[in-house]
Amino acid sequence: MKGSRLAFAIFLAPVAAWLFLLIVLPHVDLLLMSLRGKDELGERVWTLANYMNFFTEPVYWLTFVRTALYAVITTAITFCIAMPVSFYIAKVARPRVQGALMVLLLLPFWVSELVRVYGWMILLRESGVLNFFLMKLGLTQKPVEMLYTDAAMILGLVYTSMLFMVVPLVSVMDSLDDSLIEAAYDLGAGKWTIWRTIIIPHCKPGITSGAIVVFMLTLGNYLTPNLMGGKNSLWFTEQIYNQFIASFNWNQGSAFGFLLLALSSLIIWLGLKLSRQKLGEVAS
Amino acid sequence: MASDLSVRNLTKRFGEFKAVDEVSFDVPAGSFFSILGPSGCGKTTLLRMVAGFEAQSSGVIEIRGKDMADVAPNRRPVNLVFQHLALFPMMSVAENIAFGLKRRGLKGAEVGRRVEAMLERVGLPGYGPKSVNQLSGGQKQRVAIARCLVLEPSVLLLDEPLGALDLKLREQMKVELKKLQAKVGTTFIYITHDQSEALVMSDRVAVMNRGRFEQIGRPQELYGEPATPFVARFVGENNVWSGEVTASDAAGATIRTDEGFVFKARAKGACAPGGRADLYLRPEAMRIEPREAEGLNTFAVTVKAILFDGANSRLLTVTEQEHELLVSLPQNRRFDHIAPGQRITVGWHPDSGLCFPAMGAS
């Protein structure tokens, strides 16, 4: 009994240390920093001014709302694309093909996100591959700027997130007994009813965990919105970056970081409430 | 009587392999029809074609006179009880039963009323709000059947639904299913590899082997008058001798077994003198130490073991040539003196033995 407790402590120690040193400690530091500021005399004091700035300056909270909205849209689009893809991989494809399809999904992730985004930029930019073919086919006279728009940015975000939705969905769909689908069909259900009443309720845990991961990754993504979104598509992470790196205002940046954390927690809590699930059930 | 299901020359090919081969049969309305066969004989494929999950390669399936060729499974007036029941775990018992009704566009109160009536019928009143996982094996069974019966299908298909239950429950469910079928009057088509299930429950049984029907008949006919050697071996237990036909007439044939016994028996098929034949004899056809041996085939055997199984007790005996035979042992205390190692005389009436031309010869 005593021995096993010691062993437990030994194995737990690195995890606890990791949690404390890399997550708790920096966050406490950030929290303290976000509450510090300079008064009129240039003295360092405790203040809520950093948080007040966010609410008084429209560009900040507008970016904030925009980021949240687009992250939700990206998650929804990713889900809509991932659902049939996962169904095909888990239920329709033969076992041999299944593995190959999963590898195809994984393959783009062997290169860094930066390279993947540049790939899209080569395709979409004014002098890009797509425009070249559009011009060749005579569909347009002048090259169309497809990059640096919100649509391009969402495209990039969905592409980056796909895998994280497909993997949990494939695994829950694998556990769905085919005879349940056949039984529903036999009892008079059409295709959409089967999706609505059998497949989606069965896949709920996978959908939730996939959606949480995709949402978090999208919300905290910096590279894709920055490169593909252009100047008008501000992402909240860019605001944080600007505060830290451009303005050297670490206090303001910390406050923004905390607001982002609060936002993602709030939206996930809301999503779980709406789908009547508990985080513990999803994780298990 | 009108038939609910009529199948004509139904064939299903998977590449070169014929899973179902030119099968034809009719199921009269309101009857309990079983398809009995070893695993891999094509019975599940046949059932799935009737349900609409597989398309036939050729042939016709008619339900109540309507051709089902282009009708999707969700539009067919048949319902299938799956082997592993396939109850929807994300729904309650009531929701499971209401599923089909809702698909037909029935509204709340009417659905609730019918579901409750159905639950009552299968002996589970008040079980509606329970989760499927709270039910026992037998209760799940009844919910699966209720879920189909509530739709009032022309034909209810059952795909070995008792297979997953333990023995005691299976025996109980057999009787219950039979009673339920008699009560609701729906045509049941039941497929199984368990001969006892088929014999106990069915009005008529089809014995299937390698994609073909070997025989269709009442359980008593299959047992007493098997049409082919396969049916004789598959339905009930049989002792088999191989031998040569020495004489045959209208009444039967005389066969000399390879061990030298000469037996008289009834002949099925062409048992011509000089040809090879197999003789099938039920364990209960043999009488131990018959008092009047007149007109019986008699021979001596040595008792090797007593296989006690209550009313189904048998003796494992061997002839001098080490040919093993099962002889049923009536539990009326008359034979309590029999012990392993003892030599006994066994006799049987020529009417109870059946000769078939040896396989490969015909």
Side-chain angles (χ1 to χ4, degrees), chain A residues 51-76:
Chain A
Y51 290 93
M52 290 309 289
N53 279 343
F54 171 79
F55 292 103
T56 47
E57 193 68 57
V59 68
Y60 292 150
W61 62 262
L62 276 177
T63 315
F64 192 73
V65 170
R66 228 180 79 92
T67 306
L69 199 68
Y70 276 15
V72 170
I73 291 173
T74 303
T75 309

mmCIF file of all heavy atoms in Angstrom, chain A residues 51-76:
data_model
loop_
_atom_site.group_PDB
_atom_site.id
_atom_site.type_symbol
_atom_site.label_atom_id
_atom_site.label_comp_id
_atom_site.label_asym_id
_atom_site.label_seq_id
_atom_site.Cartn_x
_atom_site.Cartn_y
_atom_site.Cartn_z
ATOM 1 N N TYR A 51 -7.703 46.114 -18.722
ATOM 2 C CA TYR A 51 -8.975 45.505 -19.097
ATOM 3 C C TYR A 51 -9.953 46.565 -19.583
ATOM 4 O O TYR A 51 -10.718 46.334 -20.503
ATOM 5 C CB TYR A 51 -9.565 44.711 -17.930
ATOM 6 C CG TYR A 51 -8.765 43.457 -17.627
ATOM 7 C CD1 TYR A 51 -7.760 43.471 -16.675
ATOM 8 C CD2 TYR A 51 -9.024 42.286 -18.339
ATOM 9 C CE1 TYR A 51 -7.008 42.342 -16.427
ATOM 10 C CE2 TYR A 51 -8.258 41.144 -18.090
ATOM 11 C CZ TYR A 51 -7.257 41.170 -17.128
ATOM 12 O OH TYR A 51 -6.538 40.058 -16.893
ATOM 13 N N MET A 52 -9.882 47.757 -18.950
ATOM 14 C CA MET A 52 -10.770 48.844 -19.355
ATOM 15 C C MET A 52 -10.492 49.243 -20.801
ATOM 16 O O MET A 52 -11.410 49.484 -21.584
ATOM 17 C CB MET A 52 -10.591 50.070 -18.445
ATOM 18 C CG MET A 52 -11.113 49.876 -17.027
ATOM 19 S SD MET A 52 -12.792 49.250 -16.982
ATOM 20 C CE MET A 52 -13.665 50.698 -17.548
ATOM 21 N N ASN A 53 -9.211 49.285 -21.161
ATOM 22 C CA ASN A 53 -8.824 49.638 -22.522
ATOM 23 C C ASN A 53 -9.558 48.790 -23.551
ATOM 24 O O ASN A 53 -9.978 49.278 -24.595
ATOM 25 C CB ASN A 53 -7.316 49.417 -22.718
ATOM 26 C CG ASN A 53 -6.524 50.566 -22.164
ATOM 27 O OD1 ASN A 53 -7.101 51.643 -21.926
ATOM 28 N ND2 ASN A 53 -5.244 50.360 -21.939
ATOM 29 N N PHE A 54 -9.661 47.503 -23.220
ATOM 30 C CA PHE A 54 -10.302 46.569 -24.147
ATOM 31 C C PHE A 54 -11.733 46.985 -24.439
ATOM 32 O O PHE A 54 -12.178 46.944 -25.588
ATOM 33 C CB PHE A 54 -10.260 45.163 -23.553
ATOM 34 C CG PHE A 54 -11.080 44.165 -24.320
ATOM 35 C CD1 PHE A 54 -10.600 43.612 -25.497
ATOM 36 C CD2 PHE A 54 -12.336 43.801 -23.872
ATOM 37 C CE1 PHE A 54 -11.356 42.705 -26.196
ATOM 38 C CE2 PHE A 54 -13.103 42.894 -24.572
ATOM 39 C CZ PHE A 54 -12.607 42.341 -25.742
ATOM 40 N N PHE A 55 -12.442 47.403 -23.387
ATOM 41 C CA PHE A 55 -13.858 47.713 -23.577
ATOM 42 C C PHE A 55 -14.074 49.100 -24.166
ATOM 43 O O PHE A 55 -15.059 49.335 -24.853
ATOM 44 C CB PHE A 55 -14.615 47.578 -22.255
ATOM 45 C CG PHE A 55 -14.694 46.148 -21.796
ATOM 46 C CD1 PHE A 55 -13.877 45.677 -20.786
ATOM 47 C CD2 PHE A 55 -15.587 45.266 -22.415
ATOM 48 C CE1 PHE A 55 -13.943 44.360 -20.383
ATOM 49 C CE2 PHE A 55 -15.653 43.950 -22.012
ATOM 50 C CZ PHE A 55 -14.827 43.488 -21.007
ATOM 51 N N THR A 56 -13.125 50.008 -23.908
ATOM 52 C CA THR A 56 -13.330 51.374 -24.400
ATOM 53 C C THR A 56 -12.854 51.522 -25.844
ATOM 54 O O THR A 56 -13.336 52.392 -26.567
ATOM 55 C CB THR A 56 -12.597 52.393 -23.505
ATOM 56 O OG1 THR A 56 -11.281 51.922 -23.276
ATOM 57 C CG2 THR A 56 -13.319 52.554 -22.182
ATOM 58 N N GLU A 57 -11.957 50.692 -26.271
ATOM 59 C CA GLU A 57 -11.406 50.813 -27.633
ATOM 60 C C GLU A 57 -12.123 49.829 -28.560
ATOM 61 O O GLU A 57 -11.902 48.624 -28.474
ATOM 62 C CB GLU A 57 -9.907 50.496 -27.591
ATOM 63 C CG GLU A 57 -9.150 50.878 -28.830
ATOM 64 C CD GLU A 57 -9.067 52.382 -29.008
ATOM 65 O OE1 GLU A 57 -8.558 53.072 -28.092
ATOM 66 O OE2 GLU A 57 -9.534 52.855 -30.048
ATOM 67 N N PRO A 58 -13.036 50.317 -29.436
ATOM 68 C CA PRO A 58 -13.856 49.402 -30.240
ATOM 69 C C PRO A 58 -13.029 48.408 -31.053
ATOM 70 O O PRO A 58 -13.432 47.254 -31.195
ATOM 71 C CB PRO A 58 -14.620 50.334 -31.180
ATOM 72 C CG PRO A 58 -14.585 51.664 -30.526
ATOM 73 C CD PRO A 58 -13.340 51.731 -29.711
ATOM 74 N N VAL A 59 -11.882 48.818 -31.585
ATOM 75 C CA VAL A 59 -11.148 47.916 -32.462
ATOM 76 C C VAL A 59 -10.757 46.629 -31.727
ATOM 77 O O VAL A 59 -10.743 45.548 -32.294
ATOM 78 C CB VAL A 59 -9.905 48.611 -33.085
ATOM 79 C CG1 VAL A 59 -8.854 48.905 -32.030
ATOM 80 C CG2 VAL A 59 -9.325 47.751 -34.203
ATOM 81 N N TYR A 60 -10.517 46.750 -30.426
ATOM 82 C CA TYR A 60 -10.144 45.564 -29.662
ATOM 83 C C TYR A 60 -11.294 44.581 -29.543
ATOM 84 O O TYR A 60 -11.171 43.421 -29.884
ATOM 85 C CB TYR A 60 -9.648 45.956 -28.255
ATOM 86 C CG TYR A 60 -8.337 46.697 -28.248
ATOM 87 C CD1 TYR A 60 -8.046 47.618 -27.270
ATOM 88 C CD2 TYR A 60 -7.380 46.435 -29.235
ATOM 89 C CE1 TYR A 60 -6.843 48.289 -27.255
ATOM 90 C CE2 TYR A 60 -6.176 47.105 -29.240
ATOM 91 C CZ TYR A 60 -5.920 48.041 -28.256
ATOM 92 O OH TYR A 60 -4.738 48.715 -28.250
ATOM 93 N N TRP A 61 -12.419 45.092 -29.018
ATOM 94 C CA TRP A 61 -13.489 44.103 -28.787
ATOM 95 C C TRP A 61 -14.183 43.692 -30.080
ATOM 96 O O TRP A 61 -14.745 42.605 -30.170
ATOM 97 C CB TRP A 61 -14.454 44.528 -27.678
ATOM 98 C CG TRP A 61 -15.245 45.799 -27.879
ATOM 99 C CD1 TRP A 61 -14.951 47.022 -27.377
ATOM 100 C CD2 TRP A 61 -16.459 45.936 -28.613
ATOM 101 N NE1 TRP A 61 -15.893 47.933 -27.760
ATOM 102 C CE2 TRP A 61 -16.831 47.294 -28.515
ATOM 103 C CE3 TRP A 61 -17.261 45.064 -29.326
ATOM 104 C CZ2 TRP A 61 -17.983 47.789 -29.123
ATOM 105 C CZ3 TRP A 61 -18.412 45.555 -29.922
ATOM 106 C CH2 TRP A 61 -18.753 46.907 -29.831
ATOM 107 N N LEU A 62 -14.100 44.546 -31.108
ATOM 108 C CA LEU A 62 -14.649 44.102 -32.399
ATOM 109 C C LEU A 62 -13.822 42.936 -32.960
ATOM 110 O O LEU A 62 -14.370 41.943 -33.446
ATOM 111 C CB LEU A 62 -14.667 45.260 -33.398
ATOM 112 C CG LEU A 62 -15.882 46.181 -33.285
ATOM 113 C CD1 LEU A 62 -15.770 47.348 -34.262
ATOM 114 C CD2 LEU A 62 -17.173 45.397 -33.541
ATOM 115 N N THR A 63 -12.515 43.062 -32.875
ATOM 116 C CA THR A 63 -11.641 41.964 -33.296
ATOM 117 C C THR A 63 -11.960 40.711 -32.483
ATOM 118 O O THR A 63 -12.019 39.602 -33.014
ATOM 119 C CB THR A 63 -10.157 42.324 -33.059
ATOM 120 O OG1 THR A 63 -9.948 43.637 -33.521
ATOM 121 C CG2 THR A 63 -9.249 41.350 -33.767
ATOM 122 N N PHE A 64 -12.186 40.952 -31.215
ATOM 123 C CA PHE A 64 -12.483 39.863 -30.290
ATOM 124 C C PHE A 64 -13.741 39.106 -30.730
ATOM 125 O O PHE A 64 -13.736 37.876 -30.879
ATOM 126 C CB PHE A 64 -12.682 40.482 -28.900
ATOM 127 C CG PHE A 64 -12.723 39.503 -27.778
ATOM 128 C CD1 PHE A 64 -11.571 38.867 -27.354
ATOM 129 C CD2 PHE A 64 -13.913 39.247 -27.104
ATOM 130 C CE1 PHE A 64 -11.605 37.992 -26.293
ATOM 131 C CE2 PHE A 64 -13.949 38.367 -26.048
ATOM 132 C CZ PHE A 64 -12.788 37.733 -25.641
ATOM 133 N N VAL A 65 -14.812 39.859 -30.981
ATOM 134 C CA VAL A 65 -16.080 39.230 -31.384
ATOM 135 C C VAL A 65 -15.928 38.531 -32.743
ATOM 136 O O VAL A 65 -16.386 37.413 -32.957
ATOM 137 C CB VAL A 65 -17.203 40.289 -31.441
ATOM 138 C CG1 VAL A 65 -18.464 39.716 -32.087
ATOM 139 C CG2 VAL A 65 -17.502 40.808 -30.050
ATOM 140 N N ARG A 66 -15.238 39.223 -33.651
ATOM 141 C CA ARG A 66 -14.983 38.665 -34.970
ATOM 142 C C ARG A 66 -14.251 37.318 -34.873
ATOM 143 O O ARG A 66 -14.611 36.337 -35.508
ATOM 144 C CB ARG A 66 -14.100 39.640 -35.741
ATOM 145 C CG ARG A 66 -14.551 39.961 -37.131
ATOM 146 C CD ARG A 66 -13.545 40.947 -37.705
ATOM 147 N NE ARG A 66 -12.351 40.241 -38.131
ATOM 148 C CZ ARG A 66 -12.204 39.784 -39.375
ATOM 149 N NH1 ARG A 66 -13.139 39.977 -40.261
ATOM 150 N NH2 ARG A 66 -11.129 39.118 -39.709
ATOM 151 N N THR A 67 -13.216 37.297 -34.049
ATOM 152 C CA THR A 67 -12.424 36.089 -33.887
ATOM 153 C C THR A 67 -13.296 34.942 -33.376
ATOM 154 O O THR A 67 -13.263 33.832 -33.897
ATOM 155 C CB THR A 67 -11.268 36.341 -32.904
ATOM 156 O OG1 THR A 67 -10.542 37.475 -33.355
ATOM 157 C CG2 THR A 67 -10.365 35.149 -32.803
ATOM 158 N N ALA A 68 -14.099 35.258 -32.352
ATOM 159 C CA ALA A 68 -14.965 34.229 -31.774
ATOM 160 C C ALA A 68 -15.938 33.716 -32.819
ATOM 161 O O ALA A 68 -16.112 32.497 -32.994
ATOM 162 C CB ALA A 68 -15.732 34.805 -30.586
ATOM 163 N N LEU A 69 -16.554 34.643 -33.553
ATOM 164 C CA LEU A 69 -17.559 34.271 -34.540
ATOM 165 C C LEU A 69 -16.943 33.394 -35.636
ATOM 166 O O LEU A 69 -17.477 32.338 -35.989
ATOM 167 C CB LEU A 69 -18.138 35.552 -35.145
ATOM 168 C CG LEU A 69 -19.479 35.394 -35.830
ATOM 169 C CD1 LEU A 69 -20.542 35.082 -34.790
ATOM 170 C CD2 LEU A 69 -19.826 36.668 -36.594
ATOM 171 N N TYR A 70 -15.781 33.841 -36.141
ATOM 172 C CA TYR A 70 -15.147 33.084 -37.217
ATOM 173 C C TYR A 70 -14.662 31.721 -36.736
ATOM 174 O O TYR A 70 -14.682 30.751 -37.485
ATOM 175 C CB TYR A 70 -13.997 33.901 -37.829
ATOM 176 C CG TYR A 70 -14.482 34.877 -38.878
ATOM 177 C CD1 TYR A 70 -15.836 35.192 -38.982
ATOM 178 C CD2 TYR A 70 -13.613 35.469 -39.774
ATOM 179 C CE1 TYR A 70 -16.289 36.083 -39.922
ATOM 180 C CE2 TYR A 70 -14.062 36.364 -40.742
ATOM 181 C CZ TYR A 70 -15.406 36.658 -40.803
ATOM 182 O OH TYR A 70 -15.872 37.524 -41.757
ATOM 183 N N ALA A 71 -14.237 31.664 -35.475
ATOM 184 C CA ALA A 71 -13.794 30.371 -34.951
ATOM 185 C C ALA A 71 -14.973 29.404 -34.885
ATOM 186 O O ALA A 71 -14.850 28.222 -35.210
ATOM 187 C CB ALA A 71 -13.171 30.546 -33.571
ATOM 188 N N VAL A 72 -16.125 29.946 -34.488
ATOM 189 C CA VAL A 72 -17.323 29.094 -34.427
ATOM 190 C C VAL A 72 -17.710 28.646 -35.844
ATOM 191 O O VAL A 72 -17.993 27.464 -36.085
ATOM 192 C CB VAL A 72 -18.497 29.846 -33.753
ATOM 193 C CG1 VAL A 72 -19.790 29.064 -33.914
ATOM 194 C CG2 VAL A 72 -18.203 30.067 -32.277
ATOM 195 N N ILE A 73 -17.684 29.598 -36.803
ATOM 196 C CA ILE A 73 -18.025 29.247 -38.184
ATOM 197 C C ILE A 73 -17.056 28.188 -38.726
ATOM 198 O O ILE A 73 -17.469 27.200 -39.337
ATOM 199 C CB ILE A 73 -18.006 30.511 -39.081
ATOM 200 C CG1 ILE A 73 -19.167 31.432 -38.689
ATOM 201 C CG2 ILE A 73 -18.098 30.130 -40.554
ATOM 202 C CD1 ILE A 73 -19.148 32.774 -39.390
ATOM 203 N N THR A 74 -15.764 28.397 -38.476
ATOM 204 C CA THR A 74 -14.763 27.432 -38.937
ATOM 205 C C THR A 74 -15.045 26.053 -38.363
ATOM 206 O O THR A 74 -14.997 25.045 -39.077
ATOM 207 C CB THR A 74 -13.346 27.882 -38.509
ATOM 208 O OG1 THR A 74 -13.123 29.181 -39.030
ATOM 209 C CG2 THR A 74 -12.291 26.928 -39.010
ATOM 210 N N THR A 75 -15.364 26.004 -37.061
ATOM 211 C CA THR A 75 -15.664 24.721 -36.427
ATOM 212 C C THR A 75 -16.869 24.066 -37.100
ATOM 213 O O THR A 75 -16.858 22.866 -37.385
ATOM 214 C CB THR A 75 -15.942 24.925 -34.928
ATOM 215 O OG1 THR A 75 -14.894 25.685 -34.369
ATOM 216 C CG2 THR A 75 -16.045 23.598 -34.202
ATOM 217 N N ALA A 76 -17.901 24.869 -37.369
ATOM 218 C CA ALA A 76 -19.112 24.324 -37.978
ATOM 219 C C ALA A 76 -18.825 23.784 -39.378
ATOM 220 O O ALA A 76 -19.253 22.677 -39.738
ATOM 221 C CB ALA A 76 -20.191 25.402 -38.038
#
